[in-house]
Amino acid sequence: AQSVAQPEDQVNVAEGNPLTVKCTYSVSGNPYLFWYVQYPNRGLQFLLKYITGDNLVKGSYGFEAEFNKSQTSFHLKKPSALVSDSALYFCAVRDGGNFNKFYFGSGTKLNVKP
Amino acid sequence: DAGVIQSPRHEVTEMGQEVTLRCKPISGHNSLFWYRQTMMRGLELLIYFNNNVPIDDSGMPEDRFSAKMPNASFSTLKIQPSEPRDSAVYFCASSFRGLAFFGQGTRLTVV
């Protein structure tokens, strides 16, 4: 079965500091991994994805994520956080067999303080 | 393209009433998903369609919930009768080549 886990309900970071939002996954085949962001009263927006290739994936708004197969992790990172990055972040895995079914983590609330 | 369009954005209804949520997916997308988001349970997949055919409805909580996709450009999620515990934000998403795009959601309040 496919699943993702986001161990932190909330991450607090000061503006200008690096941020990391953690995600681990469990898949039966090749992982197709995604990060989405949700701003208040909005739908989820795609940030980045890993399908194959380089382990470091770059996405929107300066975010990047590192795929680590041995640790089954796909942590979201940004070198310098902005207050405007404050939002709810979801990690997701797509079922490789059932091509279009997505499994989302529980979400991590990122708070960036000035 | 305007993206995935959901209506209404907000719905307040009385317990026992029928509620219909609507979704217009992005043109050309062949998969459509309905999700429910609550504080307690997070983001739950209710049902998804591929080429207008329901593929997996195992997430539909009860028989009170039903979803249809009569054509490639329209889907509905119906709750009949509605209950206060159905209060949540309902998202529709469509996907093409494995990337999902979400609508802005319908906030449903059942009083």
Side-chain angles (χ1 to χ4, degrees), chain B residues 80-93:
Chain B
Q80 166 64 17
S82 57
E83 296 183 3
R85 60 194 168 115
D86 300 332
S87 298
V89 181
Y90 291 81
F91 287 103
C92 176

Side-chain angles (χ1 to χ4, degrees), chain B residues 25-74:
Chain B
I26 294 173
S27 176
H29 284 197
N30 59 346
S31 294
L32 183 140
F33 309 80
W34 282 100
Y35 286 89
R36 178 172 67 178
Q37 186 178 35
T38 61
M39 289 291 292
M40 292 296 294
R41 301 174 70 92
L43 198 61
E44 302 173 275
L45 176 63
L46 300 178
I47 185 172
Y48 87 95
F49 297 83
N50 201 41
N51 294 323
N52 311 340
V53 176
I55 302 298
D56 185 347
D57 66 353
S58 58
M60 296 285 262
E62 299 171 34
D63 291 345
R64 299 183 295 106
F65 286 69
S66 63
K68 293 182 179 179
M69 192 165 185
N71 57 62
S73 59
F74 185 64

Side-chain angles (χ1 to χ4, degrees), chain A residues 70-82:
Chain A
S70 63
Q71 297 186 5
T72 63
S73 67
F74 189 56
H75 300 331
L76 182 69
K77 300 181 179 184
K78 187 173 183 180
S80 178
L82 300 172

Side-chain angles (χ1 to χ4, degrees), chain A residues 15 37 39-40 61 63 78 81-87 89 110 112:
Chain A
E15 187 174 32
V37 60
Y39 296 102
Y61 312 121
F63 283 92
K78 187 173 183 180
L82 300 172
V83 173
S84 57
D85 293 330
S86 298
Y89 290 81
L110 174 66
V112 182

Side-chain angles (χ1 to χ4, degrees), chain A residues 31-44:
Chain A
Y32 300 88
L33 297 159
F34 303 79
W35 276 102
Y36 282 80
V37 60
Q38 184 182 28
Y39 296 102
N41 300 314
R42 303 295 296 274
L44 279 68

Side-chain angles (χ1 to χ4, degrees), chain B residues 7-21 79 82-84 86-90 105-111:
Chain B
S7 64
R9 289 293 309 279
H10 303 273
E11 176 81 36
V12 180
T13 191
E14 290 186 349
M15 183 175 65
Q17 297 298 307
E18 177 181 297
V19 175
T20 299
L21 311 182
I79 309 172
S82 57
E83 296 183 3
D86 300 332
S87 298
V89 181
Y90 291 81
T106 294
R107 182 174 296 277
L108 174 64
T109 304
V110 184
V111 297

